[in-house]
């Protein structure tokens, strides 16, 4: 199985879970990763170059998906609109469309670069918060979808939903240092990321996708 992997902080708990899960699973030796930014992973899943991945919500209706996602229930701090000339983030798909749906103009910035920009005290609009303030619903940025090995992926997602790992201190320090932020900032950020799609998240997702069709 080839799994599409995005190396943003918001997926760190899932990546740690996956590593432990595979250590006690017979599929370990046949499990490989393809690392890229979200827009590239979207295309790779569509072409069959990967079998499963967290892909942009805007593309998820094309695939079979689980109830795992990357969800913000209010502010997310890593999907921002900067007060700069209009520009999409080439790494994104969903976030660019979210800004358009909200009728906002500026430069879209996502991922770790956006989080660092926020933590440095720079001015920006949090797009997840804008969505929540307008719709009173969470925003689903990505979903775990697949094109093969469906039963395996569904079982993996259910296991993660009930066993989200605690991140060891040494990994917190390592990841924080790599991204030039403090370990306590990393922990604070992850408290705002949710993974299980509840009824409110699904409602928010349907609303976003419906607006995108018009």
């Amino acid at each position: 199985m080839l799994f599409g992997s995005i190396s943003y902080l918001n997926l760190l708990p899932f990546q740690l879970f996956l590593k432990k899960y595979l250590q006690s699973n017979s599929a370990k030796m046949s499990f490989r990763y393809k690392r890229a930014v979200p827009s590239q992973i979207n295309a790779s899943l569509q072409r069959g170059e990967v079998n499963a991945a967290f892909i942009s919500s805007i593309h998820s209706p094309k695939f079979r998906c689980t109830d795992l996602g990357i969800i913000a229930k209010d502010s997310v701090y890593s999907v921002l609109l900067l007060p700069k000339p209009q520009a999409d983030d080439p790494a994104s798909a969903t976030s660019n469309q979210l800004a358009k749906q909200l009728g906002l103009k500026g430069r879209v910035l996502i991922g770790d670069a956006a989080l660092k920009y926020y933590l440095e005290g720079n001015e920006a609009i949090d797009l997840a918060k804008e969505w929540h303030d307008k719709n009173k619903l969470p925003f689903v940025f990505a979903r775990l979808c697949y094109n093969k090995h469906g039963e395996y992926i569904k079982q993996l997602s259910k296991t993660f939903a009930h066993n989200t790992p605690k991140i060891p201190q040494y990994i917190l320090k390592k990841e924080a240092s790599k991204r030039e932020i403090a370990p306590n900032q990393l922990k604070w950020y992850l408290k705002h990321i949710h993974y299980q799609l509840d009824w409110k998240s699904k409602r928010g997702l349907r609303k976003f996708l419906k607006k995108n069709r018009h």
Side-chain angles (χ1 to χ4, degrees):
M1 180 189 301
L2 189 55
F3 199 97
S5 180
I6 301 167
S7 297
Y8 289 162
L9 274 176
N10 55 25
L11 277 177
L12 180 59
F14 182 79
Q15 290 161 349
L16 292 178
F17 158 79
L18 198 55
K19 184 176 181 180
K20 291 181 180 180
Y21 186 83
L22 294 174
Q23 286 175 347
S24 58
N25 190 285
S26 60
K28 179 181 179 181
M29 296 306 294
S30 62
F31 205 99
R32 295 177 295 132
Y33 295 96
K34 176 184 175 70
R35 300 188 184 277
V37 298
S39 58
Q40 294 170 334
I41 292 296
N42 297 337
S44 292
L45 187 66
Q46 187 155 6
R47 290 193 296 260
E49 296 169 354
V50 298
N51 304 132
F54 281 87
I55 66 164
S56 298
S57 292
I58 200 168
H59 294 304
S60 63
K62 302 175 186 176
F63 305 99
R64 291 164 287 176
C65 300
T66 70
D67 280 341
L68 282 189
I70 300 174
I71 305 154
K73 295 188 175 180
D74 199 325
S75 299
V76 72
Y77 305 104
S78 58
V79 180
L80 305 177
L81 191 73
L82 279 54
K84 295 185 178 182
Q86 179 74 22
D88 289 345
D89 189 322
S92 177
T94 293
S95 301
N96 295 330
Q97 187 59 32
L98 174 58
K100 292 180 176 67
Q101 277 199 23
L102 293 169
L104 299 172
K105 295 187 180 297
R107 178 190 164 196
V108 177
L109 184 65
I110 72 164
D112 297 352
L115 175 62
K116 190 175 178 184
Y117 182 93
Y118 170 82
L119 292 172
E120 289 172 349
N122 295 300
E123 181 184 353
I125 294 172
D126 189 307
L127 290 177
K129 179 170 177 54
E130 288 294 313
W131 168 269
H132 180 268
D133 289 350
K134 184 175 181 179
N135 298 288
K136 308 306 179 189
L137 290 168
F139 191 81
V140 181
F141 286 97
R143 297 180 70 190
L144 176 58
C145 302
Y146 58 91
N147 54 32
K148 288 179 68 176
H149 309 291
E151 291 305 314
Y152 183 85
I153 295 298
K154 286 188 282 186
Q155 182 56 51
L156 184 150
S157 67
K158 288 178 183 177
T159 305
F160 173 73
H162 295 96
N163 297 276
T164 305
K166 184 177 180 180
I167 302 174
Q169 193 65 27
Y170 78 95
I171 292 181
L172 276 175
K173 290 181 179 179
K174 177 183 175 182
E175 294 295 329
S177 175
K178 185 164 63 175
R179 292 166 170 83
E180 299 181 326
I181 63 174
N184 64 319
Q185 291 174 322
L186 192 159
K187 286 179 68 176
W188 167 84
Y189 167 66
L190 288 177
K191 289 178 181 178
H192 299 89
I193 306 297
H194 305 271
Y195 301 99
Q196 185 70 16
L197 272 78
D198 57 13
W199 70 270
K200 273 194 167 185
S201 299
K202 291 177 181 179
R203 186 176 174 188
L205 177 62
R206 287 194 300 269
K207 190 176 186 72
F208 171 71
L209 293 175
K210 183 177 180 180
K211 285 186 176 182
N212 186 59
R213 290 195 294 267
H214 297 296

